């Protein structure tokens, strides 16, 4: 069969939404091995071949990775030639109750180095780029993408340097942690008549590194000063936009240095259907909301704030690109997908993956033409039917009767979606190599 249902699993991390308040738990109920516990935080639903939580063929219990090994033609000729005999992406649903860590993902070379030197911490020798690629010398890091399915907020990349310089000029708690000479050097670099990119970049690196490396006692004292000032109504006008977020982050992670990232990182807010494209080696942290996330097959994360887990500040601060820009530069608008009527594509400038979103009203139909690559799809709202034609000419049909049902579709198969009485919303991660 070219198209078949998957059984998928949920990851429980502290920041996830609890019990059936989590879309992850709601969706995971479609898999027979899942039982919900209302006290547990269900954070991520994983759809793919990653060994940490591999998806399985629903009818047989065989792992998707094992099935693809036996049937590599499902991946398509071009995808196999480019990425090897495995899925080049990991598709997820995230349900975010409180902020994730300030983090970034290593490229291939760094991922392998970290795994070799500290395998107890960095257990995955893979990376956010070309998993199991037949081109092992390729080291360019690949970003990830998040599509909001509810209202979403997150840190994404560095603020424009002029805004950071402004904060450093009047937020005393930040300046104390960064160190006044470093803060002043940054402000001078930014305000030069013709500042060089290299100089500003180096100064931004110094500011972020100094902040994230500050002594815990100093951080806690300055967080206390900052929050006390805000709660006393002494926030300056330019701080009003971040004041409430700083207070909320302190409730979640009291005294954490990541709270000061409100002055360094963009706060991006999305409505359902909007997407953010996270460029390579940029700091980010999801704050709240529900999203579809797609990335290359890896779970490597380097953290430095807003987390009870291990922080690797030297690695994080050395690996970042220190690019800056406005928040809207992170947002990637969807565009109409080929000749479809109700499907949009979120298409980052990479070959590993794109994401399709199909929204149909009751009684409507939509056809996706065949693609020369694998895909995974999930129903997030409503229901209906999925129809396709196998290569032997036989027509197949499956019920998509509730949110959370997940299917794999092999290369070269056209899919038709028919909406039921409540309409249907489908997200589909695809790989197609030109």
């Amino acid at each position: 069969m070219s198209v078949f249902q998957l059984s998928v699993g949920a990851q429980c991390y502290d920041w996830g939404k609890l019990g059936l308040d989590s879309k992850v738990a709601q969706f995971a109920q479609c898999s027979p091995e899942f039982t919900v516990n209302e006290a547990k935080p269900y954070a991520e639903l994983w759809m793919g071949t990653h060994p940490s939580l591999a998806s399985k063929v629903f009818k047989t219990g065989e792992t998707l990775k094992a099935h693809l090994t036996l049937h590599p033609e499902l991946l398509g000729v071009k995808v196999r030639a480019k990425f090897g005999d495995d899925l080049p992406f990991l598709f997820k649903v995230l349900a975010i109750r409180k902020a994730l860590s300030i983090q970034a993902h290593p490229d291939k070379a760094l991922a392998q180095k970290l795994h070799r030197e500290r395998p107890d911490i960095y257990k995955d020798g893979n990376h956010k780029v070309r998993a199991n690629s037949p081109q092992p010398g390729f080291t360019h890091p690949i970003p990830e993408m998040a599509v909001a399915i509810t209202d979403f907020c997150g840190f994404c990349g560095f603020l424009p340097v002029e805004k950071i310089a402004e904060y450093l000029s009047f937020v005393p708690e930040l300046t104390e942690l960064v160190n006044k000479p470093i803060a002043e050097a940054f402000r001078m670099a930014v305000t030069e008549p013709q500042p060089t990119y290299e100089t500003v970049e180096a100064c931004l690196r110094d500011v972020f590194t100094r902040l994230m490396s500050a002594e815990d006692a100093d951080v806690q004292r300055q967080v206390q000063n900052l929050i006390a000032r805000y709660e006393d109504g002494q926030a300056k006008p330019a701080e009003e936009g971040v004041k409430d977020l700083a207070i909320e982050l302190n409730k979640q992670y009291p005294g954490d240095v990541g709270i000061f990232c409100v002055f360094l990182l963009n706060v991006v807010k999305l409505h359902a259907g909007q997407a953010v494209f996270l460029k390579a080696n940029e700091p980010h942290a999801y704050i709240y909301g529900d999203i579809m996330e797609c990335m290359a097959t890896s779970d490597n994360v380097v953290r430095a704030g807003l987390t009870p887990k291990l922080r690797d500040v030297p690695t994080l601060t050395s690996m970042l690109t220190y690019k800056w820009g406005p928040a809207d530069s992170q947002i990637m608008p969807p565009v109409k997908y080929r000749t479809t009527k109700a499907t949009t594509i979120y298409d980052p400038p990479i070959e590993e993956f794109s994401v399709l979103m199909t929204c149909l009203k009751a009684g409507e139909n939509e056809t996706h033409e065949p693609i020369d690559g694998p895909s995974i799809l999930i129903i997030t709202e409503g229901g209906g039917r999925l129809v396709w034609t196998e290569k032997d000419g036989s027509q197949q049909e499956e019920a998509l009767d509730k949110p959370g049902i997940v299917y794999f579709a092999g290369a070269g198969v056209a899919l038709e979606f028919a909406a039921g009485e409540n309409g249907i919303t489908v997200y589909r991660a695809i790989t197609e190599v030109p």
Side-chain angles (χ1 to χ4, degrees):
M1 293 286 284
S2 299
V3 180
F4 47 86
Q5 188 176 351
L6 296 178
S7 176
V8 300
Q11 298 279 27
C12 294
Y13 306 137
D14 181 62
W15 49 264
K17 294 185 179 181
L18 301 178
L20 288 175
D21 284 341
S22 170
K23 288 188 181 294
V24 169
Q26 295 170 26
F27 295 164
Q29 290 184 110
C30 291
S31 296
E33 298 175 359
F34 180 80
T35 302
V36 69
N37 179 335
E38 288 294 342
K40 292 182 72 172
Y42 294 99
E44 298 186 353
L45 189 80
W46 282 29
M47 299 167 281
T49 58
H50 195 285
S52 293
L53 192 60
S55 300
K56 299 177 181 178
V57 178
F58 188 90
K59 290 183 177 179
T60 67
E62 179 185 31
T63 67
L64 178 58
K65 176 64 179 295
H67 189 78
L68 293 176
T69 299
L70 294 174
H71 303 280
E73 70 279 2
L74 294 172
L75 295 167
V77 174
K78 291 183 179 179
V79 169
R80 290 183 65 200
K82 192 82 171 182
F83 301 114
D85 290 339
D86 196 6
L87 277 183
F89 63 81
L90 177 61
F91 202 26
K92 298 181 181 181
V93 178
L94 273 62
I96 305 155
R97 175 174 55 94
K98 64 179 186 178
L100 282 68
S101 55
I102 305 295
Q103 61 184 257
H105 307 290
D107 62 23
K108 183 180 181 69
L110 180 57
Q112 292 176 340
K113 179 176 183 292
L114 293 173
H115 177 64
R116 184 173 61 251
E117 295 177 352
R118 287 179 282 173
D120 55 325
I121 298 171
Y122 298 103
K123 300 178 182 180
D124 191 349
N126 216 328
H127 57 109
K128 295 272 190 291
V129 55
R130 301 192 177 187
N132 299 329
S133 170
Q135 305 176 46
F138 188 86
T139 60
H140 181 66
I142 296 297
E144 65 188 71
M145 182 171 63
V147 183
I149 54 180
T150 64
D151 285 347
F152 164 83
C153 178
F155 287 130
C156 298
F158 286 100
L159 283 164
V161 289
E162 296 81 6
K163 187 64 177 178
I164 297 174
E166 181 184 1
Y167 281 133
L168 284 169
S169 70
F170 66 75
V171 181
E173 301 85 359
L174 174 65
T175 303
E176 287 295 326
L177 290 177
V178 166
N179 176 281
K180 291 180 180 179
I182 290 176
E184 182 60 27
F186 178 80
R187 291 197 299 269
M188 290 180 63
V190 171
T191 57
E192 284 286 331
Q194 293 182 315
T196 67
Y197 180 88
E198 292 76 15
T199 299
V200 176
E201 180 185 44
C203 288
L204 178 58
R205 180 187 298 271
D206 288 344
V207 167
F208 188 71
T209 300
R210 184 66 181 226
L211 173 65
M212 303 311 286
S213 305
E215 294 291 335
D216 287 347
D218 294 335
V219 171
Q220 291 170 11
R221 182 171 59 256
Q222 295 304 335
V223 169
Q224 186 176 18
N225 292 343
L226 179 75
I227 300 304
R229 183 162 63 82
Y230 286 169
E231 291 178 342
D232 287 344
Q234 298 180 30
K236 298 177 176 64
E239 294 176 280
E240 288 296 333
V242 298
K243 177 189 69 173
D244 291 343
L245 178 56
I247 292 172
E248 177 60 27
L249 291 177
N250 186 57
K251 292 177 181 176
Q252 296 178 7
Y253 301 97
D256 194 286
V257 68
I259 295 163
F260 285 96
C261 284
V262 301
F263 304 116
L264 299 182
L265 303 182
N266 283 303
V267 178
V268 175
K269 295 183 178 181
L270 305 178
H271 298 300
Q274 292 184 302
V276 61
F277 178 50
L278 304 173
K279 298 176 183 178
N281 280 341
E282 288 191 345
H284 60 275
Y286 302 149
I287 297 171
Y288 65 76
D290 302 303
I291 61 170
M292 303 300 307
E293 184 182 62
C294 203
M295 63 190 68
T297 304
S298 176
D299 62 356
N300 277 317
V301 178
V302 183
R303 303 177 179 88
L306 300 180
T307 180
K309 296 182 179 180
L310 177 74
R311 304 170 187 226
D312 191 348
V313 172
T315 299
L316 182 72
T317 55
S318 65
M319 67 189 276
L320 299 180
T321 58
Y322 293 96
K323 297 183 183 301
W324 61 87
D328 57 9
S329 68
Q330 308 288 332
I331 297 175
M332 184 177 59
V335 297
K336 185 173 181 284
Y337 180 58
R338 295 184 177 175
T339 60
T340 60
K341 299 172 295 184
T343 299
T344 52
I345 182 170
Y346 304 87
D347 193 19
I350 56 175
E351 294 179 342
E352 278 70 12
F353 57 81
S354 301
V355 173
L356 307 178
M357 179 181 68
T358 300
C359 295
L360 299 175
K361 297 178 181 178
E364 292 183 337
N365 292 62
E366 182 77 291
T367 298
H368 291 180
E369 299 171 358
I371 63 170
D372 188 20
S375 64
I376 290 179
L377 61 95
I378 181 171
I379 314 308
T380 59
E381 292 184 43
R385 303 196 70 78
L386 175 63
V387 181
W388 73 96
T389 301
E390 287 289 337
K391 293 181 180 179
D392 63 5
S394 63
Q395 189 173 67
Q396 305 292 325
E397 184 173 319
E398 291 280 353
L400 307 175
D401 53 2
K402 56 184 174 181
I405 291 177
V406 179
Y407 271 80
F408 174 89
V413 180
L415 302 180
E416 180 182 348
F417 300 95
E421 62 182 13
N422 295 317
I424 191 170
T425 300
V426 181
Y427 285 92
R428 183 184 180 193
I430 67 173
T431 298
E432 189 170 30
V433 177

